[in-house]
Amino acid sequence: MKLTGVELRHIAMPLVAPFRTSFGSQTTRDVLLVRVVTDEAEGWGECVAMTEPLYSSEYVEGAADVLRRFLVPALAAAGPLEAQLVAPVLEPIRGHRMAKAALEAAVLDAELRATGRSFARELGAVHERVPCGVSVGIMDSIPALLDAVGGYLDEGYLRIKLKIEPGWDIEPVRAVRERFGDDVLLQVDANTAYTIADARHLAQLDAFGLLLIEQPLDEEDVLGHADLAKLINTPVCLDESITSARSAAAAIRMGACDVVNIKPGRVGGYLEARRIHDVCVAHGIPVWCGGMLETGIGRAGNVALAALPGFTLPGDTSGSSRYYRTDITEPFVLEDGHLAVPTGAGLGVVPVAERLEEVTTGMEWLAV
Ligand code: NPG
């Protein structure tokens, strides 16, 4: 394929309800979409960077800047366009995995559309539908939390993840267990809000039979997670610390994770995400697919990835309605707690033109 140009499109998607985590509260999701146009087909990618660098060092405007100034020019200069070559071509440019992931996803989408193959088939999916979990933000009160969790269970979600932070951890978990019973698949996510000094406090979670505790400590504190894993019985899962297949292999060898959350948009793309999956499978480490409030574009790819054989735990692959009243693609709708894996060429979904226009806040065309 030959690259013709790249569109960077900013959209603002209102959330159905505020989403609060240990790093902040959001009411709108600003998303950077990347559309790659080639001589054969076009493709879409979604950048998972947030408006502010609070979850990771990347942020929307920074991603747009590095795409415009460095990533797209490097790709344009590289000759024939091939998804497999995107990461090696961009490798000299340090970091910026979220921006790189969006560009690679768009190239992969274009390539697969041109040849009529789906993401699922290309990545090695073995399931036609995937079991879905839901992430429940920090609430103002326990009754509000119980209402929210009850609503999601009624909708059919098969696993509940509670966001936690110091002051909102043991009691919310206890309340959910007491109200909904021991059979509910339950896990917690701290988004780096604790330190190893909290180990004894976190050990109180052992009583609740959680599937896992996700990223309790700082993203650079991999060794701390290895120490913590010896002090608590709840399995330790890493998210922010896993940036590549190499970092996953190192974390596993250190004994820092029993489980891994793979977020393709955060690790540099779907191809690196598959390599992380392969490393984890080789070591007997279960994985699940994380989410970053993706629109239908990112969700489509995530659902395809979640259908690989090593994804043995339900992911944060919720239905579109969990976050958005109207998605930019045909919505992903939960059926019996599952989402169907798209089968069409490429991502199998495209933005609905009028809807896309409604939410667009800025657009830029990078001619090649
Ligand atoms: O279902 O898409 C989803 C969101 C799941 O809780 C979720 N994501 O830390 O994993 C996380 C969190 C997140 C969201 C992180 C947005 C960063 C941005």
Side-chain angles (χ1 to χ4, degrees):
M1 296 191 301
K2 196 179 164 330
L3 187 62
T4 312
V6 176
E7 175 187 291
L8 303 182
R9 185 187 282 256
H10 294 263
I11 63 172
M13 301 278 290
L15 298 179
V16 290
F19 185 56
R20 182 169 152 211
T21 62
S22 62
F23 58 88
S25 184
Q26 291 171 265
T27 51
T28 302
R29 179 72 165 111
D30 291 317
V31 183
L32 175 65
L33 294 174
V34 175
R35 182 170 66 99
V36 158
V37 181
T38 77
D39 57 342
E40 293 182 35
E42 58 175 65
W44 288 90
E46 174 168 345
C47 181
V48 296
M50 317 286 291
T51 317
E52 297 167 298
L54 300 178
Y55 165 82
S56 94
S57 62
E58 289 186 69
Y59 60 101
V60 173
E61 288 301 333
D65 189 67
V66 77
L67 278 158
R68 174 191 309 124
R69 284 213 260 177
F70 301 105
L71 302 181
V72 171
L75 201 58
L81 190 60
E82 219 186 295
Q84 288 287 348
L85 298 178
V86 173
V89 164
L90 303 181
E91 207 265 337
I93 299 155
R94 301 283 164 204
H96 298 284
R97 290 186 169 87
M98 294 178 179
K100 289 176 178 176
L103 188 54
E104 185 195 78
V107 173
L108 184 57
D109 187 34
E111 186 174 302
L112 295 177
R113 280 182 205 277
T115 51
R117 286 172 297 151
S118 69
F119 257 60
R121 185 182 150 196
E122 179 69 11
L123 294 174
V126 295
H127 304 292
E128 290 173 1
R129 57 179 209 157
V130 298
C132 299
V134 61
S135 173
V136 186
I138 294 165
M139 304 268 165
D140 292 335
S141 69
I142 299 269
L145 174 71
L146 295 177
D147 277 355
V149 170
Y152 292 130
L153 290 173
D154 289 345
E155 282 183 55
Y157 283 104
L158 299 170
R159 179 277 272 154
I160 300 290
K161 153 167 148 180
L162 302 183
K163 290 291 192 178
I164 59 168
E165 66 182 6
W168 182 265
D169 43 28
I170 315 298
E171 291 317 315
V173 170
R174 186 195 313 281
V176 169
R177 269 286 179 248
E178 278 175 4
R179 170 71 69 87
F180 301 104
D182 292 339
D183 291 343
V184 171
L185 298 181
L186 187 63
Q187 64 192 53
V188 293
D189 182 4
N191 287 113
T192 77
Y194 296 88
T195 73
I196 191 69
D198 298 309
R200 285 174 74 181
H201 176 72
L202 294 173
Q204 294 178 66
L205 291 169
D206 290 349
F208 302 109
L210 300 179
L211 284 172
L212 56 91
I213 177 169
E214 186 181 353
Q215 197 72 40
L217 312 181
D218 189 82
E219 68 175 270
E220 291 181 9
D221 195 7
V222 177
L223 209 50
H225 285 94
D227 292 340
L228 182 68
K230 296 195 193 88
L231 299 170
I232 65 175
N233 292 330
T234 306
V236 172
C237 171
L238 290 180
D239 170 19
E240 284 91 326
S241 297
I242 304 297
T243 52
S244 62
R246 181 179 290 165
S247 68
I252 292 167
R253 187 148 123 209
M254 270 189 249
C257 55
D258 305 297
V259 182
V260 168
N261 168 354
I262 304 182
K263 285 187 183 151
R266 203 174 52 63
V267 301
Y270 287 96
L271 302 181
E272 187 67 16
R274 180 172 58 185
R275 282 190 282 274
I276 297 176
H277 161 271
D278 295 349
V279 164
C280 290
V281 167
H283 288 86
I285 297 288
V287 304
W288 54 282
C289 184
M292 293 184 65
L293 282 60
E294 284 88 348
T295 71
I297 293 296
R299 203 161 293 277
N302 290 359
V303 170
L305 181 75
L308 267 64
F311 286 79
T312 52
L313 292 168
D316 282 341
T317 45
S318 306
S320 299
S321 64
R322 159 70 182 91
Y323 293 106
Y324 306 116
R325 210 167 304 285
T326 321
D327 207 335
I328 54 169
T329 63
E330 285 303 309
F332 280 82
V333 180
L334 214 61
E335 268 174 49
D336 197 15
H338 292 70
L339 287 184
V341 177
T343 53
L347 289 171
V349 298
V350 282
V352 178
E354 310 87 71
R355 176 63 188 147
L356 194 57
E357 287 310 320
E358 277 168 20
V359 292
T360 295
T361 55
M363 213 163 82
E364 181 178 356
W365 173 248
L366 308 174
V368 166

